[in-house]
Amino acid sequence: MKYKIWVTERVKFVHEMVIEVSDNRDVEGILDNAEKGRNLSDVKCLLKEQDCNIISVTVDGSGDVEIEIEDMEEIK
């Protein structure tokens, strides 16, 4: 028997950034906006657009992986 399966791979990276923000800025608001990024590069751009100084970035290369086979369909 043949089956078509759908495999979902979720990779979780935890990057570390040190940022500097002016005292009078709403840091939580800035971070809420930065969370709208789709990837690390987007987050950095969104932070810079909000006048954040990015001091350092440590990129996580390990990537915790979660695999799930969500569905299957028999193929005749």
Side-chain angles (χ1 to χ4, degrees):
M1 294 163 81
K2 292 182 186 177
Y3 292 90
K4 181 189 302 185
I5 62 172
W6 290 266
V7 179
T8 299
E9 178 181 17
R10 292 179 187 89
V11 182
K12 180 180 180 181
F13 294 104
V14 180
H15 308 296
E16 179 181 284
M17 299 178 79
V18 176
I19 63 170
E20 185 175 39
V21 180
S22 300
D23 290 340
N24 60 347
R25 299 297 309 269
D26 173 19
V27 177
E28 288 186 24
I30 290 171
L31 298 180
D32 286 345
N33 189 49
E35 282 183 329
K36 296 175 185 173
R38 294 183 315 254
N39 54 44
L40 182 60
S41 181
D42 285 354
V43 171
K44 289 193 292 190
C45 287
L46 288 166
L47 288 169
K48 287 178 183 178
E49 287 174 4
Q50 299 177 92
D51 298 323
C52 289
N53 181 23
I54 299 173
I55 296 170
S56 67
V57 178
T58 304
V59 178
D60 177 5
S62 65
D64 291 334
V65 177
E66 177 186 320
I67 299 287
E68 180 180 352
I69 299 177
E70 295 188 6
D71 203 0
M72 70 175 191
E73 175 185 306
E74 186 174 352
I75 299 174
K76 295 181 182 189

